[in-house]
Amino acid sequence: ILNVEQSPQSLHVQEGDSTNFTCSFPSSNFYALHWYRWETAKSPEALFVMTLNGDEKKKGRISATLNTKEGYSYLYIKGSQPEDSATYLCAQADDKIIFGKGTRLHILP
Amino acid sequence: DVKVTQSSRYLVKRTGEKVFLECVQDMDHENMFWYRQDPGLGLRLIYFSYDVKMKEKGDIPEGYSVSREKKERFSLILESASTNQTSMYLCASSLDRSTDTQYFGPGTRLTVL
């Protein structure tokens, strides 16, 4: 079974500050890396799907990078806002998709 | 607009009951998934299906079965509910096997007494 690790488990960030967190995954049998945002009382929603080493994706203030050789992806949030408070999940996909346990982000006003 | 629906948001059942959780997607997706989410454990895959009448075990299939008689519907069955199956259950669908985005339903919070 693949082991997808996310760190930190929980994070408190002051509104307006920038932040980042990590997803680590086994680099063998890599096919795709997904990031999802999961807000309380809602369904997880897709942020990015990345497949190539060196990929960088951006959506507004949120961006992600991928290093398949060393088995990690970073998610960056620039200028955190209250609406960014959520759990951020990453998942590695090969034959099936394996989710990490998530990073719970709290934005402090 | 993409839509995955689940039959109930909240469900309370008694130990030993047979429980059906229904999931329907309207996107003509080939693939459907059932997960459970528990505090500190993240999303864990129970079963998935890549085609009608086809099913494959995920990481924690024990105590569950599934049915996919039609492309749009994927049912999760708890043959004899137990208290350790109290959890949040999420259904998802995707067009492709691994590289495509999964679209999630709103979840069913099941409590087994």
Side-chain angles (χ1 to χ4, degrees):
Chain A
I1 296 176
L2 296 175
N3 206 21
V4 177
E5 303 283 348
Q6 290 189 248
S7 63
Q9 187 175 6
S10 180
L11 189 57
H12 291 77
V13 174
Q14 203 66 44
E15 183 177 348
D17 287 353
S18 297
T19 187
N20 65 84
F21 29 92
T22 307
C23 173
S24 303
F25 52 88
S27 52
S28 59
N29 296 325
F30 177 85
Y31 202 62
L33 193 286
H34 298 246
W35 280 102
Y36 291 84
R37 175 168 59 200
W38 194 358
E39 296 178 67
T40 303
K42 294 186 178 179
S43 309
E45 291 184 343
L47 287 172
F48 307 112
V49 179
M50 296 183 287
T51 56
L52 298 175
N53 183 44
D55 253 355
E56 290 189 33
K57 295 271 175 107
K58 187 174 181 185
K59 186 184 288 188
R61 294 178 292 101
I62 303 177
S63 60
T65 61
L66 178 66
N67 183 324
T68 60
K69 293 184 195 289
E70 296 181 37
Y72 64 84
S73 175
Y74 292 135
L75 190 80
Y76 300 90
I77 301 178
K78 187 177 177 182
S80 302
Q81 298 296 309
E83 60 265 28
D84 296 328
S85 293
T87 296
Y88 291 83
L89 298 171
C90 74
Q92 181 184 357
D94 53 22
D95 287 340
K96 55 184 178 181
I97 192 163
I98 304 291
F99 282 85
K101 294 179 182 178
T103 292
R104 183 79 177 96
L105 177 65
H106 306 263
I107 305 301
L108 306 171
Chain B
D1 199 16
V2 162
K3 198 161 184 185
V4 179
T5 56
Q6 294 182 228
S7 49
S8 306
R9 291 300 299 270
Y10 300 94
L11 206 53
V12 180
K13 295 291 181 181
R14 296 208 173 272
T15 300
E17 281 192 77
K18 190 169 186 175
V19 182
F20 292 87
L21 302 182
E22 306 285 346
C23 175
V24 177
Q25 50 95 4
D26 65 359
M27 297 159 285
D28 202 33
H29 282 173
E30 299 292 328
N31 313 305
M32 297 187 75
F33 308 83
W34 274 106
Y35 298 90
R36 63 178 283 178
Q37 192 261 340
D38 301 288
L41 296 177
L43 279 175
R44 293 182 293 167
L45 182 64
I46 304 171
Y47 266 97
F48 57 103
S49 170
Y50 289 145
D51 201 354
V52 175
K53 296 192 187 293
M54 177 275 185
K55 59 186 177 186
E56 286 192 34
K57 293 179 181 179
D59 299 319
I60 50 163
E62 295 78 20
Y64 303 95
S65 61
V66 290
S67 172
R68 189 144 181 226
E69 296 296 318
K70 294 185 178 180
K71 190 176 185 180
E72 67 271 18
R73 187 179 296 269
F74 192 35
S75 302
L76 181 70
I77 303 156
L78 286 66
E79 296 290 342
S80 177
S82 62
T83 54
N84 63 14
Q85 291 179 310
T86 292
S87 187
M88 170 69 86
Y89 290 87
L90 284 162
C91 174
S93 72
S94 73
L95 186 61
D96 192 7
R97 286 184 69 158
S98 302
T99 56
D100 206 21
T101 298
Q102 291 200 5
Y103 295 89
F104 287 85
T108 296
R109 183 161 294 282
L110 172 67
T111 302
V112 182
L113 302 175

